Amino acid sequence: MNKNELSKILYEMYTSAPEGEQVANIHLFGVKYADYIIKSNYKATEIVKLSGLKPSYSTEVSKGIRLSKYVVPKV
């Protein structure tokens, strides 16, 4: 999976999230796709920039990536 595909998924997860759950979905994105991101040496900032979301959300993606060591998504 390349950065463009990941950025589209991130954008979709953000925009389709219920009201008040957008940041949680950014964390979930980081958890779900951490393996792809880490193995490909992608940076959260690159993915967020390509997605068109606010640059500050790269911090939230990074949190999700770190959480992926400890949690498993239910969905």
Side-chain angles (χ1 to χ4, degrees):
M1 191 170 298
N2 65 41
K3 287 185 279 189
N4 288 323
E5 292 168 322
L6 288 167
S7 68
K8 287 177 186 175
I9 294 167
L10 173 59
Y11 180 81
E12 287 299 316
M13 288 181 72
Y14 179 82
T15 58
S16 67
E19 185 68 30
E21 299 291 322
Q22 291 92 351
V23 174
N25 262 20
I26 293 173
H27 295 150
L28 180 60
F29 168 83
V31 170
K32 288 177 80 172
Y33 296 98
D35 288 339
Y36 293 109
I37 295 167
I38 293 167
K39 287 178 185 174
S40 300
N41 289 318
Y42 295 149
K43 297 193 182 323
T45 53
E46 298 171 321
I47 296 167
V48 171
K49 184 176 181 179
L50 288 170
S51 75
L53 299 177
K54 294 190 292 187
S56 61
Y57 285 144
S58 62
T59 300
E60 306 307 326
V61 172
S62 294
K63 289 177 187 177
I65 293 168
R66 285 193 302 274
L67 282 169
S68 71
K69 298 177 201 171
Y70 309 103
V71 299
V72 177
K74 289 185 178 182
V75 276

